Amino acid sequence: MRVIGTAGHVDHGKSTLVAALTGINPDRLKEEQLRQMTIELGFAWLTLPNGEEVGIVDVPGHRDFIENMLAGVGGIDAALLVIAADEGVMPQTREHLAILDLLQIKGGVVTLTKIDMIDDPDWLDLVELDVRAVLNGTVLQDAPVMRVSARTGEGLPALTAALSEVLADQPQRADLGRPRLPIDRVFTIAGFGTVVTGTLSDGVLKIGDEIEILPAGRSGRIRGLQSHKRKEQSAVPGSRTAANISGIAVDEVRRGDVLTHPGQYRNTHRLDLQLRLLPDVSAPLHHFSEVKLFIAASEVLARVRLLGVEELAAGETGWIQVETQQPVVAVRGDRYILRRPSPGETLGGGVVIDPFPPRRHKRFDAQVIERLEAIRKGTPADVLYQASLAVGAASIRELVTHARLSPADAQTALRELIQNRQFNLLKSAEASLESEQWVMPASLWNSHTQKVINEVTAYHKNYPLRLGMPRQELASRLKLQPRLFNLAVAQWRREGIVVEKGGLIASPDHRVRFDPRQQATIEQMRKRFSEAPYAPPSIKDLQSELGEEVVAALIEQGELVAVSSEVAFQKQIYQQLVEEVTEHLRTHQTLTAAQFRDRYQTSRRYALALLEHLDAIGLTVRQGDEHRLRE
């Protein structure tokens, strides 16, 4: 699942456009509706032409509420930059675009709204040229520019299609097995208690999970989950998620807190960051300046320690260490924004390099800068992991070759990634650089595992009377190469994710159960079989009386043995006939359909069906009208 975030100047029609696209008014506060101006984050959702449902975060455009905007824009996959055609690019257009660029929100669509207010087509062309000039050099420089009217509906289908195309190019959020939900809204519902919302990343949340709210460290449990107002048993990375939590009061949680599994994340007061200062800041950034740090949904005051320079000028990139007044939750690679507290101004932003530096750095220590540069470029483990994300599943030998690491670095990186469970091994043998053992990034393995669970669960729901899903059908749905599929199924069996019997793959807890009506009909069928064991009802008659799925289940479970498309015998009768025919042929060498018919007082149809079946399975061979044991 993915999330789109709006951006743009105040009164350029962001909320109106969201309402026109989704049918949902994102302005939920009475004050917002009275003032016709977004103040807080708003939320809606939309089904794209390809059937994918995406969340939409609508942010304030007024400069007084830019910090509310930052709480919602950090977790988005693509941006919807809204520019009113009658006004063109305005100050908050530029500031929002700069923030998207600093956060590296690379997917996006630019929308010229209110085109119904423009009579001159040349004016629209001029506005679009101006917009293109502003976008140049930013993450949205190649974004499509769409012309729409939320009032008349013109251009809305094309806009929806463009959003679908942009999201198709964005990767799905990885499941790293360590969920974190940056909380952007907290409220209570009578009878349910505390509810928090946010955009989930890095892992899956399930009902019943023990959780921890950081930085306070309060413990609770998930009572319920919703996504787009639908109840869910689990929430996946990238989804807009509402979690009803027990054990934690609503006044014990605030925006910016993070919901996680216990022990998977920890707080920090100090971070090493790479910072890019915006080119139009009003003044250079000086050492020990007070700033506001925005990371995920959190906002904290911090002091900046410049590393290697006396000051950082507009447009420059450098290294800083920040120390926050309140603890925050961050991991390496997170994006952030810095703002000047007063007067309010967006300074710049960048990426977290080290969320847990052990001490204050000496400001002009060359070794510190060298270390930060090395981390930014990636440790051997980072390089190997990124290589695995690029190639997917591969043998260790192939992966190390792709990563172009020295043997010593590769061996160390491999050991680290396995110990940290960032790699999943598809065999139990010891992993070495020369090994043909297959390895897969844990995020990709978790994704495949969740997909196989979903596919098998859906199959059981659609075909409850079948023992399991045919192996080849599962292979075609997972779209894994044959060798990888076989290794993966073996691993899933070892982990108890699935069971396999006779080429059928099923959930471990799946059982075929007939309802009372079906069971009563089956009992009547058994009585008919016992009354005429050698001339039972035809398969067609059984299907007419019991239903095709019930007959298929009885055959699949082995109660009935189909010897042809028309004839089935009860299992014990079939086994008796096979034994007696075998014994007869050992004594008399041959058997004809007529002899079989007369011996069992049945018809030629049943005799031919069984004897041709025995030929087909290789027990006998036909010579003219006679059947003999196959040598």
Side-chain angles (χ1 to χ4, degrees):
M1 298 183 69
R2 269 80 71 85
V3 178
I4 298 168
T6 64
H9 195 76
V10 63
D11 200 33
H12 275 208
K14 294 185 296 298
S15 300
T16 303
L17 179 60
V18 170
L21 285 170
T22 67
I24 301 168
N25 183 359
D27 287 340
R28 52 189 170 79
L29 302 180
K30 184 176 180 180
E31 182 182 0
E32 292 177 316
Q33 295 172 8
L34 289 174
R35 296 174 63 180
Q36 295 187 337
M37 182 175 68
T38 301
I39 299 172
E40 271 290 355
L41 299 176
F43 306 101
W45 55 91
L46 169 69
T47 301
L48 298 175
N50 62 4
E52 180 183 6
E53 190 172 77
V54 297
I56 297 181
V57 179
D58 184 39
V59 305
H62 196 284
R63 62 184 176 85
D64 291 346
F65 305 116
I66 190 72
E67 293 174 356
N68 287 347
M69 176 265 190
L70 287 169
V73 77
I76 65 174
D77 300 286
L80 181 61
L81 181 61
V82 180
I83 302 171
D86 59 335
E87 291 190 343
V89 175
M90 298 292 282
Q92 258 56 66
T93 310
R94 296 178 183 275
E95 186 168 14
H96 282 204
L97 177 59
I99 289 168
L100 295 175
D101 194 55
L102 291 169
L103 294 175
Q104 289 295 286
I105 309 297
K106 296 184 178 179
V109 175
V110 181
T111 306
L112 291 183
T113 58
K114 304 184 181 182
I115 61 171
D116 54 287
M117 300 177 65
I118 306 299
D119 296 325
D120 182 1
D122 292 339
W123 171 261
L124 289 176
D125 293 338
L126 289 172
V127 171
E128 184 167 338
L129 284 173
D130 184 39
V131 168
R132 284 292 181 196
V134 172
L135 296 177
N136 189 41
T138 73
V139 287
L140 296 185
Q141 66 178 3
D142 296 322
V145 177
M146 313 299 295
R147 302 179 181 185
V148 304
S149 167
R151 187 176 67 85
T152 67
E154 182 181 351
L156 292 181
L159 172 59
T160 305
L163 289 171
S164 184
E165 290 178 9
V166 165
L167 285 175
D169 294 333
Q170 303 303 311
Q172 293 283 354
R173 299 289 185 95
D175 180 359
L176 303 179
R178 52 184 193 209
R180 54 174 171 154
L181 185 75
I183 296 169
D184 54 33
R185 188 178 171 214
V186 185
F187 56 96
T188 185
I189 297 178
F192 291 91
T194 303
V195 177
V196 300
T197 71
T199 301
L200 181 61
S201 65
D202 295 345
V204 174
L205 290 175
K206 297 178 181 178
I207 292 177
D209 280 358
E210 297 285 345
I211 57 97
E212 181 179 29
I213 300 292
L214 295 176
R218 294 185 175 88
S219 300
R221 183 186 298 271
I222 295 181
R223 294 177 57 186
L225 291 167
Q226 284 193 5
S227 182
H228 304 164
K229 291 194 175 181
R230 287 197 309 267
K231 292 182 179 179
E232 305 284 357
Q233 290 298 309
S234 62
V236 298
S239 62
R240 282 296 307 173
T241 299
N244 176 208
I245 53 179
S246 62
I248 301 175
V250 69
D251 58 0
E252 295 178 315
V253 190
R254 63 182 181 88
R255 173 188 284 179
D257 288 349
V258 179
L259 183 154
T260 74
H261 283 165
Q264 291 190 326
Y265 293 90
R266 56 193 176 102
N267 303 330
T268 183
H269 278 277
R270 181 183 295 131
L271 304 99
D272 289 344
L273 311 172
Q274 186 179 49
L275 171 65
R276 173 162 63 92
L277 219 58
L278 292 176
D280 57 353
V281 293
S282 60
L285 181 64
H286 297 284
H287 177 65
F288 215 59
S289 295
E290 185 177 60
V291 296
K292 284 186 177 181
L293 170 68
F294 295 84
I295 189 164
S298 67
E299 169 192 343
V300 294
L301 286 171
R303 289 285 179 181
V304 172
R305 304 186 69 250
L306 294 178
L307 302 177
V309 294
E310 291 290 352
E311 68 176 25
L312 203 61
E316 290 185 341
T317 296
W319 299 102
I320 63 173
Q321 187 176 67
V322 299
E323 295 181 336
T324 61
Q325 289 188 10
Q326 294 85 33
V328 296
V329 176
V331 299
R332 183 177 179 273
D334 280 352
R335 310 293 303 192
Y336 71 92
I337 297 292
L338 289 188
R339 280 179 58 82
R340 211 185 298 274
S342 182
E345 177 186 23
T346 299
L347 294 170
V351 64
V352 175
I353 301 299
D354 186 353
F356 301 105
R359 63 186 66 85
R360 280 190 174 187
H361 298 312
K362 294 179 181 179
R363 290 188 55 212
F364 295 95
D365 187 337
Q367 291 185 342
V368 169
I369 304 300
E370 289 175 5
R371 173 182 171 273
L372 293 175
E373 285 284 1
I375 295 176
R376 181 184 66 83
K377 292 176 182 177
T379 65
D382 294 328
V383 173
L384 192 61
Y385 185 69
Q386 292 301 320
S388 74
L389 291 178
V391 303
S395 72
I396 293 175
R397 185 199 302 269
E398 293 170 342
L399 184 59
V400 171
T401 300
H402 185 84
R404 300 180 66 184
L405 292 172
S406 69
D409 285 344
Q411 187 66 63
T412 301
L414 180 64
R415 189 180 303 114
E416 177 183 335
L417 292 168
I418 292 172
Q419 288 176 348
N420 292 341
R421 298 185 178 181
Q422 291 175 270
F423 272 178
N424 191 78
L425 300 175
L426 298 183
K427 279 186 180 179
S428 57
E430 184 178 353
S432 68
L433 297 187
E434 298 302 314
S435 173
E436 290 301 325
Q437 180 177 0
W438 279 49
V439 67
M440 183 185 295
S443 57
L444 182 59
W445 173 254
N446 292 338
S447 175
H448 285 316
T449 299
Q450 189 59 52
K451 187 170 183 180
V452 78
I453 291 172
N454 293 343
E455 291 289 353
V456 173
T457 300
Y459 191 90
H460 290 326
K461 183 177 180 180
N462 292 332
Y463 305 103
L465 299 182
R466 299 184 186 181
L467 289 177
M469 187 177 194
R471 184 185 179 97
Q472 290 306 313
E473 182 173 347
L474 180 62
S476 67
R477 295 194 182 204
L478 295 182
K479 295 180 173 59
L480 300 176
Q481 56 178 286
R483 184 180 178 190
L484 175 57
F485 175 76
N486 292 334
L487 290 171
V489 170
Q491 183 80 357
W492 287 322
R493 289 203 313 262
R494 286 193 292 270
E495 294 178 1
I497 302 297
V498 298
V499 294
E500 183 178 13
K501 183 177 180 181
L504 298 176
I505 295 177
S507 299
D509 57 352
H510 175 65
R511 300 292 182 273
V512 173
R513 295 179 176 88
F514 300 107
D515 62 36
R517 183 188 61 79
Q518 292 168 335
Q519 194 64 51
T521 311
I522 290 170
E523 291 301 327
Q524 294 176 4
M525 177 273 296
R526 288 172 179 156
K527 184 178 180 181
R528 292 179 60 189
F529 269 75
S530 63
E531 291 173 349
Y534 309 122
S538 68
I539 290 179
K540 185 176 181 180
D541 289 340
L542 292 174
Q543 291 173 338
S544 177
E545 295 174 19
L546 302 177
E548 292 185 7
E549 284 297 318
V550 174
V551 175
L554 292 172
I555 293 173
E556 198 174 54
Q557 293 177 17
E559 180 169 346
L560 298 181
V561 180
V563 297
S564 73
S565 62
E566 298 179 353
V567 176
F569 294 96
Q570 281 186 301
K571 180 179 180 180
Q572 62 271 30
I573 298 300
Y574 170 80
Q575 292 172 338
Q576 172 199 330
L577 290 173
V578 172
E579 291 173 3
E580 291 179 358
V581 167
T582 303
E583 184 60 32
H584 174 91
L585 291 175
R586 287 195 181 114
T587 305
H588 300 92
Q589 280 76 52
T590 63
L591 178 66
T592 65
Q595 289 171 329
F596 181 97
R597 178 198 62 199
D598 294 339
R599 176 171 178 175
Y600 293 100
Q601 296 296 299
T602 185
S603 70
R604 182 174 177 81
R605 181 177 67 154
Y606 293 101
L608 285 174
L610 182 74
L611 293 176
E612 289 174 357
H613 166 75
L614 297 180
D615 293 342
I617 65 173
L619 179 64
T620 61
V621 61
R622 181 174 177 176
Q623 296 176 348
D625 290 336
E626 296 178 337
H627 297 262
R628 298 174 178 272
L629 285 176
R630 184 181 294 273
E631 295 181 358

